[in-house]
Amino acid sequence: MVEIVEEENLYGILNERNINYVQFGCNKKFQTWYGSTVYFDPDNKLIPDRPNVKNSPRKPLQKNGQYWLDTIYICEYCFKYCDSGEMLCDHDLVCNYKYKAPGRIKYLGPKYCIRRVKGSKHQLFCQCLCLFTKLFLDNKSMYFKIDQYDFYILYEINSTIPMAFFSKDIISYNKNNLACILTLPPYQRRRLGTILMEFSYKLSRSENVISGPETPLSPFGLISYIKFWARIIAYELFDGELSALGKISVTDISLVTGFRLSDIIMTLNYLECLSSSGEILTSIIKDKVQKMSGKITGYIIQDDDLLLDD
Ligand SMILES: CC(=O)SCCNC(=O)CCNC(=O)[C@H](O)C(C)(C)COP(=O)(O)OP(=O)(O)OC[C@H]1O[C@@H](n2cnc3c(N)ncnc32)[C@H](O)[C@@H]1OP(=O)(O)O
């Protein structure tokens, strides 16, 4: 169904939405957030590569002249795409990923598991996942050169439907533990993004590096990370490894959490709990994090549930 041609001019940022809806599997439909040119043939703005019907007279569905396509049909198991519901149903019958999720399990918790899928091994799956991501994230444009990335994909236990994922450079010169994160729109605000952020630090801790996400963060990425960093810092200060210490420095927090100094300082500034002399005002942290997140809770991911040895 899909054959992706690598072309420089396909690096698809567009200032307006050009696809209105995603029909995702048989029974989920939602609006896109951003435009993307990468699904389309640049000459005619059609989705290419429709086997057997190459010469049929297809016109992009225009709505007030704005959309190149009203609805794109995407498989919820493997992210292959097409422009007709009929084709999606045909594909659904034969999609291998519906019966077997790719990759190797690296976290097996009570409700969710996280699989590592190598970009080099599952190329088409990972490329299609990146194309899909572009519809919900404006500032990333990595679609085709995916060999040097691992993808960590979250599934409900016993399900083959991906719910959220992040990509990670196999070798990151900036020591980033996460390149790009997405919770698929139907599954957002269920703490899946938080679980993946936690997991990304478990991975970098296992590699003994102080690390963090690639920047710049999107607005939702920033909110989610600040909340995550603030909650873990508060937990370590009041219930965790730092609770027995007297005066705490940013470096102490970094060593215990694996967070970068710059991310910790940004979070403390956000919480307005750094004095002008750089002292951390812990009582303010407790108050603010409780207001922001309710109860101060620890890690969601338990170390015993990690399967990080290859
Ligand atoms: C390095 C990078 O990749 S930056 C790019 C980040 N990715 C994107 O922007 C892609 C589109 N956005 C997403 O996929 C998601 O919004 C993510 C990945 C950022 C967050 O995923 P989710 O699974 O929804 O996060 P999660 O449920 O753990 O929420 C964490 C907190 O972030 C905040 N948050 C997340 N989404 C929203 C939102 N839409 N509106 C307001 N607050 C939000 C909330 O405070 C939330 O906690 P709460 O629900 O307890 O209030």
Side-chain angles (χ1 to χ4, degrees):
M1 189 188 300
V2 193
E3 191 177 306
I4 294 167
V5 182
E6 190 180 320
E7 275 186 30
E8 280 314 307
N9 65 357
L10 282 183
Y11 272 70
I13 309 277
L14 201 67
N15 287 333
E16 53 183 20
R17 295 192 312 120
N18 58 335
I19 301 171
N20 198 1
Y21 292 102
V22 173
Q23 173 70 48
F24 195 53
C26 295
N27 48 30
K28 295 179 200 78
K29 188 168 182 173
F30 40 87
Q31 279 199 307
T32 61
W33 296 5
Y34 299 104
S36 170
T37 64
V38 288
Y39 283 115
F40 298 92
D41 183 325
D43 295 331
N44 56 17
K45 292 182 181 172
L46 293 174
I47 291 191
D49 198 20
R50 239 186 162 207
N52 308 326
V53 283
K54 270 216 151 72
N55 299 321
S56 68
R58 289 181 304 134
K59 288 243 158 20
L61 217 163
Q62 297 275 346
K63 200 179 171 193
N64 301 328
Q66 185 187 349
Y67 300 112
W68 300 7
L69 189 66
D70 184 70
T71 304
I72 188 163
Y73 297 82
I74 298 182
C75 173
E76 63 180 327
Y77 300 99
C78 74
F79 301 95
K80 279 189 182 176
Y81 57 88
C82 56
D83 59 4
S84 101
E86 201 189 337
M87 281 182 79
L88 182 66
C89 291
D90 287 351
H91 166 76
D92 189 74
L93 297 172
V94 296
C95 180
N96 289 333
Y97 289 88
K98 181 173 178 177
Y99 303 104
K100 188 175 181 325
R104 197 183 269 219
I105 294 182
K106 292 283 146 189
Y107 163 74
L108 185 58
K111 198 161 174 209
Y112 302 107
C113 69
I114 299 173
R115 293 175 161 272
R116 184 191 64 200
V117 177
K118 288 178 173 291
S120 56
K121 199 165 169 190
H122 292 271
Q123 276 199 339
L124 189 58
F125 174 88
C126 296
Q127 284 169 338
C128 288
L129 176 56
C130 291
L131 297 189
F132 176 83
T133 301
K134 175 67 195 70
L135 299 174
F136 305 96
L137 181 56
D138 207 23
N139 66 344
K140 302 269 166 171
S141 59
M142 184 272 293
Y143 314 112
F144 306 122
K145 292 172 186 162
I146 39 123
D147 281 20
Q148 63 270 43
Y149 290 91
D150 284 337
F151 294 75
Y152 289 91
I153 307 187
L154 184 146
Y155 295 85
E156 227 156 17
I157 300 284
N158 294 330
S159 163
T160 52
I161 299 181
M163 302 173 87
F165 86 99
F166 71 89
S167 55
K168 178 175 163 58
D169 296 74
I170 294 170
I171 299 170
S172 170
Y173 297 103
N174 295 325
K175 296 208 173 113
N176 296 323
N177 60 9
L178 178 149
C180 172
I181 181 168
L182 174 80
T183 299
L184 277 52
Y187 313 117
Q188 287 181 359
R189 304 298 293 268
R190 299 187 193 181
R191 318 219 68 198
L192 304 185
T194 304
I195 293 175
L196 286 179
M197 286 171 200
E198 254 189 43
F199 180 78
S200 69
Y201 280 98
K202 296 282 183 192
L203 274 182
S204 51
R205 295 295 276 165
S206 75
E207 295 157 2
N208 282 322
V209 280
I210 300 289
S211 191
E214 187 180 303
T215 54
L217 299 174
S218 69
F220 284 145
L222 185 61
I223 299 177
S224 307
Y225 263 105
I226 291 270
K227 263 199 127 169
F228 164 70
W229 288 323
R231 184 176 55 82
I232 296 295
I233 291 170
Y235 169 75
E236 291 294 2
L237 284 175
F238 300 110
D239 293 318
E241 283 189 49
L242 297 171
S243 56
L245 295 187
K247 210 171 168 203
I248 309 286
S249 71
V250 174
T251 308
D252 295 328
I253 297 177
S254 177
L255 288 174
V256 165
T257 58
F259 301 167
R260 284 179 177 136
L261 295 177
S262 54
D263 294 333
I264 296 168
I265 291 168
M266 180 164 62
T267 307
L268 297 178
N269 275 329
Y270 177 84
L271 296 173
E272 295 174 319
C273 64
L274 272 180
S275 75
S276 50
S277 60
E279 194 189 338
I280 300 171
L281 308 169
T282 48
S283 57
I284 299 184
I285 298 184
K286 192 169 201 168
D287 204 38
K288 293 239 169 131
V289 173
Q290 272 170 344
K291 275 200 189 111
M292 202 165 74
S293 312
K295 216 168 132 230
I296 294 175
T297 50
Y299 294 88
I300 303 170
I301 289 188
Q302 302 304 311
D303 287 352
D304 286 350
D305 295 334
L306 294 169
L307 301 156
L308 299 185
D309 296 334
D310 257 335

